[in-house]
Amino acid sequence: MPASGADEPGFGVYVHWPFCQSKCPYCDFNSHVVANVDQARWAKALTRELQYMRGLTGPRSVRSIFFGGGTPSLTEPATVEAVLTQIAALWTVEQGAEITLEANPTSVEAARFRGYRKAGVNRLSLGVQSLDDRELKFLGRLHTADEALRAIALARETFPRLSFDLIYARPGQTKEKWTAELRAALAHAVDHLSLYQLTIEEETAFARLYEKGAFKLPGEDEAAELYALTGEIAAEAGLSAYEVSNYARPGAEARHNLVYWRYGDYAGVGPGAHGRISTEGKRLATRTLRMPGAWIENVERDGHGLEASEEIPGAAQGDEMMLMGLRLEEGVSLARYAALAGKEIAAPRIGNLIADGLLMRNGDIIRTTPQGRLVLDALLARLLA
């Protein structure tokens, strides 16, 4: 994988589908439980907002398209096809562009999978989260471990590329239990895994339960040990930690997320979608209305559901780029930071972090050490103060 700054980050399109079968207790994403969705109406609204975004971005070459949520696998293949057709009409889609759709094992159907593949989806991201039925129940998931494994097998048959998610550092999870579960998962993984430590997000069901003392999470030292163990086991299977929570075989890194982490441009459509768009010498942060009803009414009336479109000052651009880029194993270009921020990072700050074993430097590129990744927020606070 090329060093940050050696490769143009690329341009992506993010499409948010906000509907789910149920709300997971740990989830703070913009998702809503709705029984019946007018797919034709939503397809029309999404394609219309894409037209508006094309007016902001101008002609671009699309490297990746990502259907996130919510549960995008609740969409009809015809809806996905309509969106992809519109994107191809508005921008130039690169040969071999990555087109990802998130799916839950409970919404898996062979016919629907074939429909997504026919529409152009070439990468599936499955929200497995655990291979233990008791843990799945705790996480509020609707599928069983057997359903997850069947979904993985079906996805491997249908799509050229596959990733799935697991959540670890759960209450009472020992290193031995996580080792067994992760190795079982790796036996079914193709080229990419997203492995997230369970965190308590504000205004979620888990946040309320946690405050009441209903469960405890592993302490910092125990969580750090689980993180290190995760990297070791993934490496044994040939997957490197190219990002803090993402592991891939060489060449199988998620291209869409690399657009984010390398601080590229992306257009975001759908309720609650964010975007970063460079236009007329400015970089804009866009954000759409979160509530599905308000969003679709605004799109039908105005052609878009934007709640905000704000210019990002140069200093903030540099900070954003550093915040995203230091998550990557490849690191960040100091020259690019200076070009965006209009200032350089003081050499003593970098030197002190290197001396503390948190950063590494190779010419223009700085990277976090394994220890630095464990305290990334504190590292950034010192680096960018």
Side-chain angles (χ1 to χ4, degrees):
M1 194 161 52
S4 180
D7 185 39
E8 197 275 323
F11 173 71
V13 178
Y14 175 78
V15 181
H16 191 79
W17 185 260
F19 304 115
C20 281
Q21 291 176 298
S22 67
K23 184 75 172 180
C24 295
Y26 56 84
C27 178
D28 68 339
F29 293 161
N30 187 33
S31 60
H32 306 266
V33 179
V34 175
N36 297 302
V37 176
D38 185 339
Q39 296 264 340
R41 184 187 180 197
W42 275 81
K44 186 176 180 180
L46 288 167
T47 56
R48 190 172 181 194
E49 189 167 61
L50 283 165
Q51 292 174 13
Y52 183 86
M53 292 298 177
R54 170 59 172 78
L56 292 180
T57 69
R60 296 296 300 268
S61 181
V62 177
R63 181 165 300 174
S64 67
I65 302 165
F66 194 100
F67 291 84
T71 307
S73 53
L74 295 176
T75 61
E76 297 293 340
T79 302
V80 173
E81 184 176 14
V83 171
L84 292 177
T85 298
Q86 180 70 293
I87 291 171
L90 295 171
W91 294 283
T92 300
V93 178
E94 293 181 7
Q95 183 72 25
E98 179 185 271
I99 303 175
T100 303
L101 184 137
E102 290 183 334
N104 279 341
T106 47
S107 59
V108 166
E109 297 176 18
R112 182 167 288 190
F113 269 27
R114 287 193 294 269
Y116 295 144
R117 182 70 189 102
K118 185 178 179 181
V121 174
N122 55 27
R123 182 176 182 271
L124 199 76
S125 178
L126 271 173
V128 172
Q129 313 310 1
S130 177
L131 292 176
D132 182 297
D133 285 340
R134 181 179 297 179
E135 297 299 326
L136 286 169
K137 186 175 181 180
F138 167 73
L139 293 169
R141 306 298 286 172
L142 300 180
H143 63 272
T144 65
D146 283 344
E147 285 176 316
L149 293 177
R150 288 197 296 271
I152 290 169
L154 178 59
R156 291 179 68 169
E157 294 173 3
T158 310
F159 300 95
R161 298 177 62 200
L162 168 67
S163 176
F164 59 89
D165 300 355
L166 294 176
I167 295 174
Y168 69 103
R170 304 183 299 255
Q173 187 176 44
T174 64
K175 289 190 289 184
E176 291 73 21
K177 287 182 179 179
W178 176 230
T179 296
E181 186 174 355
L182 180 54
R183 285 188 169 144
L186 285 163
H188 298 276
V190 177
D191 58 9
H192 190 284
L193 281 176
S194 295
L195 305 172
Y196 302 106
Q197 291 200 5
L198 180 60
T199 56
I200 304 301
E201 305 295 343
E202 294 182 3
E203 299 182 7
T204 63
F206 267 6
R208 293 186 288 273
L209 290 169
Y210 187 74
E211 289 172 1
K212 294 177 181 178
F215 62 86
K216 294 182 179 180
L217 295 181
E220 287 187 9
D221 290 344
E222 193 176 355
E225 290 178 358
L226 288 170
Y227 179 77
L229 178 64
T230 300
E232 292 169 7
I233 295 172
E236 290 173 3
L239 279 69
S240 66
Y242 73 99
E243 191 270 343
V244 170
S245 301
N246 287 271
Y247 302 76
R249 300 189 193 282
E253 298 86 0
R255 296 174 207 162
H256 191 81
N257 286 340
L258 285 175
V259 170
Y260 296 162
W261 294 322
R262 289 174 174 165
Y263 206 51
D265 281 7
Y266 56 97
V269 300
H274 291 247
R276 291 292 186 273
I277 295 172
S278 297
T279 178
E280 298 179 349
K282 301 176 181 178
R283 187 169 173 87
L284 301 178
T286 65
R287 182 179 71 251
T288 58
L289 294 160
R290 287 178 59 86
M291 296 305 295
W295 175 85
I296 201 166
E297 289 174 3
N298 273 47
V299 172
E300 291 171 341
R301 185 186 66 241
D302 302 329
H304 66 85
L306 282 179
E307 181 178 48
S309 179
E310 302 166 342
E311 182 178 356
I312 308 173
Q317 289 186 47
D319 289 353
E320 281 191 347
M321 189 271 286
M322 190 64 69
L323 184 149
M324 300 297 284
L326 281 182
R327 295 182 63 87
L328 288 169
E329 185 179 48
E330 69 185 27
V332 177
S333 162
L334 289 170
R336 187 179 178 212
Y337 172 87
L340 289 172
K343 61 180 181 180
E344 295 182 350
I345 297 175
R349 289 184 190 170
I350 298 172
N352 289 337
L353 289 166
I354 292 173
D356 290 342
L358 303 178
L359 273 186
M360 299 179 288
R361 181 170 182 173
N362 182 10
D364 177 53
I365 304 298
I366 58 170
R367 301 177 177 85
T368 55
T369 64
Q371 182 62 31
R373 282 191 172 193
L374 293 174
V375 292
L376 185 55
D377 288 345
L379 184 159
L380 286 162
R382 289 176 58 184
L383 185 67
L384 301 175

